[in-house]
Amino acid sequence: MRWKLVCGLLITILVSNGHAQDLPVLAIEHVNVVDVISGEVLTDRTVIVRDTKIESIVDGANSQVPDNAVRIAAAGKFLIPGLWDMHIHWYDRNSMQLFPVNGVTGARVMSGMPLHHMWRKQFETGEFLGPHLLISSPIIDGPSPIWPGSFVAADEADGKQVVARAVELKADFLKVYSLLPRSAYLAIAAESKLAGIPFAGHVPLTVSMAEASNAGQVSMEHLYEILIACSSKEDELRSLRAEVLAKNGTTRAIYDDKELMVTIQQRALATYDEHKARVLFALLAQNKTWQCPTLTVLRNLAYLETTEVQQNPNLKYLTPALRSMIAPPKDKNGRTAAEFAQSQKMFEMNLGFLRAMQAAGVPILAGTDCLNPFCLPGFSLHDELQLLVRAGLKPIDALRAATINPAKFQNKEHDFGSVTEGKQADLVMLDANPLNDISNTRKIVAVILRGNLLDRQALDDKLNSFEQPSK
């Protein structure tokens, strides 16, 4: 097929310079367009891509294709917007290519470093193949941070200072973390508004979900704190935890106190209050506090001992060094069988929380926590979509969580997030309708990123270049 041959040329253009004037016009003929805004499928459309934009979408029966266009026969195929993974940690540039190879054309980096800003320039200019990036500040944590390299904020003055540092680094947003003292967190919330930079991340142990939402935190990750927030004994449980935090000086020692953690979890489960949950979810919806549940990592941790998780076939596309980082030993946490069973119970309950939040109108983002156990670049976003459906979302809502919702989250829905005239030409062509079965997002025929076409052969060639020799 001629368009496959031309694709090879386009990839060369992408890698060498990526200038828009070098890009042939693309005509995707007789394709079915999945409209993620309306939830409908627009049948038999011809989509014209010129330079990096979607120029037109017209009825396929009456379309006029430019004479110089690369014609892509797409009858029976389905066109969706490029997907976004809204929670990643990744520090290897070469394997960032696995995101677009899997139709993931954008990603939100949740612990930003200078290298990510360098990558973004290289990706956007076409010097190197990679997704669009939304980049956080370094993690902002308390005096004894969980992760090395974090910004430390111990009090109100520190809170103001780290906002200024993040602005200097040109971070797109601030990443707050679990061990932030209350005074530092509230200072960050206030100062971020003055600086015009949003803040997102973990809900710290020192504030409630409701307080964080009212303070303006734009997104909350992993459904952390939700169980306590929905307990009729929330104040009692928070006081119990605060005693340990005060005794140990707000350190990670609280995570090492397994007995305390289990006690709090069990009491919270026993005192779940459905009315309190409804009130909280209504507040999150009213404040437009996005939830990025990262069900993939929650599932992987809950079922870490299973063959399904441990023997992910896509691990073969990672180098041994990356594989060792992403695949911890089964006994890493030293959990007993009872503890594993409890973690699985909690995962299933989190699915229920997400289902209730979706029904309440809480906005949802798809994210994987890539680089954490068995969360792989690109591949795992499709796992996340399936888990969102398992939680009770309709396939269209799961698809929105990875397309139009990330665009809305960034206030860029006029630029990307749907197959719409004038928007960025980040597109994924599928062999089957994802609204019938969300797993069809894996059946990728071609990817268009920044107007550059990569057909199935090109994608397979790229995958083959990553495959590691079998032992």
Side-chain angles (χ1 to χ4, degrees):
M1 293 175 63
R2 182 184 170 215
W3 68 279
K4 286 189 176 183
L5 296 176
V6 175
C7 179
L9 172 62
L10 296 183
I11 293 171
T12 301
I13 292 170
L14 170 69
V15 173
S16 61
N17 53 42
H19 297 316
Q21 62 264 31
D22 295 322
L23 299 177
V25 176
L26 305 178
I28 309 170
E29 297 185 275
H30 305 294
V31 73
N32 300 305
V33 173
V34 178
D35 186 340
V36 295
I37 297 175
S38 70
E40 299 176 346
V41 175
L42 311 177
T43 59
D44 190 15
R45 295 296 195 270
T46 290
V47 178
I48 304 297
V49 172
R50 187 183 298 273
D51 298 333
T52 63
K53 301 289 185 180
I54 301 171
E55 181 176 81
S56 64
I57 303 172
V58 298
D59 187 331
N62 301 310
S63 62
Q64 293 185 341
V65 175
D67 292 338
N68 62 340
V70 175
R71 305 181 75 140
I72 303 171
K77 311 302 182 185
F78 292 80
L79 196 66
I80 64 171
L83 302 167
W84 278 70
D85 187 333
M86 292 297 283
H87 192 124
I88 75 161
H89 301 270
W90 204 256
Y91 308 99
D92 176 69
R93 186 188 71 158
N94 191 46
S95 54
M96 286 292 292
Q97 297 176 88
L98 291 171
F99 285 102
V101 166
N102 282 281
V104 181
T105 59
R108 183 171 63 143
V109 178
M110 295 303 287
S111 60
M113 295 183 175
L115 61 85
H116 294 117
H117 292 271
M118 179 180 67
W119 292 357
R120 178 159 62 185
K121 291 179 181 178
Q122 294 171 342
F123 296 165
E124 293 299 334
T125 60
E127 181 182 340
F128 199 85
L129 177 63
H132 302 287
L133 296 180
L134 183 68
I135 306 170
S136 80
S137 69
I139 290 171
I140 304 172
D141 209 354
S144 298
I146 293 174
W147 297 106
S150 298
F151 283 176
V152 171
D155 52 27
E156 181 179 351
D158 285 348
K160 293 180 179 180
Q161 185 180 51
V162 295
V163 173
R165 291 176 67 189
V167 170
E168 288 177 5
L169 290 173
K170 302 188 184 305
D172 298 316
F173 64 100
L174 308 170
K175 168 68 180 294
V176 294
Y177 217 65
S178 301
L179 295 180
L180 272 172
R182 182 180 179 85
S183 60
Y185 175 83
L186 295 177
I188 289 169
E191 194 69 16
S192 69
K193 291 177 184 177
L194 295 175
I197 182 171
F199 69 103
H202 292 197
V203 176
L205 301 177
T206 53
V207 299
S208 69
M209 282 189 76
E211 288 174 322
S213 178
N214 286 330
Q217 185 165 328
V218 293
S219 77
M220 298 173 177
E221 315 302 307
H222 319 301
L223 302 178
Y224 286 171
E225 294 297 289
I226 193 169
L227 186 59
I228 287 181
C230 294
S231 167
S232 61
K233 301 294 184 180
E234 178 182 8
D235 292 341
E236 177 185 318
L237 295 174
R238 290 178 57 77
S239 295
L240 179 62
R241 194 167 60 186
E243 291 176 11
V244 177
L245 290 170
K247 179 180 178 181
N248 292 284
T250 317
T251 71
R252 63 179 302 163
I254 191 166
Y255 292 114
D256 298 326
D257 192 338
K258 290 186 177 181
E259 184 176 347
L260 173 68
M261 299 294 282
V262 170
T263 296
I264 289 176
Q265 190 177 83
Q266 289 178 342
R267 289 187 186 177
L269 282 167
T271 56
Y272 172 74
D273 186 325
E274 187 174 344
H275 173 71
K276 198 165 185 289
R278 285 199 300 269
V279 171
L280 173 64
F281 300 160
L283 176 70
L284 297 175
Q286 178 183 329
N287 289 344
K288 295 182 173 59
T289 307
W290 294 84
Q291 298 297 307
C292 189
T294 63
L295 296 178
T296 301
V297 72
L298 297 183
R299 185 275 311 273
N300 291 354
L301 291 172
Y303 293 87
L304 188 59
E305 79 281 25
T306 65
T307 300
E308 177 187 0
V309 171
Q310 290 278 339
Q311 297 184 6
N312 188 323
N314 294 316
L315 285 168
K316 67 184 178 182
Y317 297 113
L318 301 185
T319 63
L322 288 172
R323 202 178 308 170
S324 66
M325 293 175 64
I326 213 166
K330 296 179 184 179
D331 61 350
K332 180 177 183 294
N333 296 317
R335 292 191 295 188
T336 65
E339 288 170 336
F340 269 118
Q342 178 75 359
S343 70
Q344 291 160 19
K345 180 179 180 180
M346 272 304 306
F347 174 71
E348 297 301 327
M349 193 159 189
N350 278 328
L351 295 183
F353 284 137
L354 187 62
R355 182 162 53 249
M357 284 193 287
Q358 167 74 12
V362 179
I364 308 295
L365 297 170
T368 64
D369 211 0
C370 180
L371 190 59
N372 275 288
F374 299 100
C375 299
L376 281 63
F379 299 100
S380 288
L381 194 277
H382 300 281
D383 296 335
E384 188 72 18
L385 296 180
Q386 289 183 251
L387 288 168
L388 289 173
V389 171
R390 178 177 163 186
L393 276 67
K394 296 178 181 178
I396 183 62
D397 291 321
L399 195 58
R400 286 168 175 156
T403 55
I404 192 64
N405 286 5
K408 290 179 178 179
F409 176 81
Q410 299 176 62
N411 295 315
K412 291 184 176 180
E413 59 186 300
H414 296 298
D415 299 322
F416 64 89
S418 65
V419 185
T420 304
E421 291 180 357
K423 289 193 177 184
Q424 177 85 25
D426 298 329
L427 304 165
V428 183
M429 190 160 70
L430 306 173
D431 245 335
N433 187 352
L435 303 190
N436 292 338
D437 183 343
I438 195 63
S439 68
N440 287 336
T441 59
R442 299 179 188 272
K443 298 178 179 178
I444 297 173
V445 178
V447 174
I448 297 174
L449 175 58
R450 303 182 185 92
N452 292 275
L453 171 66
L454 293 92
D455 71 350
R456 186 63 259 173
Q457 184 61 57
L459 298 173
D460 287 339
D461 289 345
K462 182 63 69 174
L463 276 175
N464 291 337
S465 74
F466 277 96
E467 188 167 353
Q468 303 295 307
S470 58
K471 293 182 179 179

